[in-house]
Amino acid sequence: MHWVHLMIAIVAEVVGTSALKASDGFSRPVPLLITVAAYAVAFFFLALTLRTIPMGVAYAVWSGVGIVLISLVGWLVFRQSLDAPALLGLGLIVAGVVVINGFSNAVGR
């Protein structure tokens, strides 16, 4: 269940960050409220995750997967471009998350 909690935290963080962009510098109240609610959900579920997964591993996966997902949202929703170095960097982040989950003994299973 801890991995489900972590995935909920990641998705909530991506929703919150997307709404933060849509809030246009806190000038639009609805996206701002979505941001606050989504970050509250993200931190709640991250806290649940930290009961069983080591903090460094959980945060590495949370931030790594979040970076990749928010980059995809930026590209698809906000029409932000990703050049070759950005894509390479995102690929390295994905590789790091795969290595942590596939080979690290520190990951709570």
Side-chain angles (χ1 to χ4, degrees):
M1 196 64 178
H2 51 274
W3 289 109
V4 172
H5 291 155
L6 184 56
M7 289 303 116
I8 293 169
I10 291 167
V11 169
E13 187 267 334
V14 169
V15 169
T17 302
S18 300
L20 185 61
K21 169 71 173 154
S23 77
D24 196 30
F26 298 134
S27 65
R28 299 177 59 216
V30 172
L32 175 59
L33 294 174
I34 292 169
T35 298
V36 171
Y39 276 119
V41 169
F43 284 114
F44 174 77
F45 280 98
L46 182 60
L48 292 179
T49 300
L50 295 177
R51 290 179 174 171
T52 54
I53 298 177
M55 181 173 47
V57 172
Y59 193 75
V61 173
W62 184 56
S63 59
V65 174
I67 288 167
V68 171
L69 290 179
I70 201 62
S71 296
L72 288 173
V73 169
W75 179 60
L76 294 171
V77 175
F78 297 105
R79 304 289 182 211
Q80 297 173 345
S81 64
L82 296 171
D83 59 9
L87 293 172
L88 175 63
L90 291 170
L92 292 170
I93 291 169
V94 169
V97 170
V98 168
V99 168
I100 288 171
N101 285 307
F103 303 104
S104 176
N105 291 326
V107 175
R109 297 195 200 281

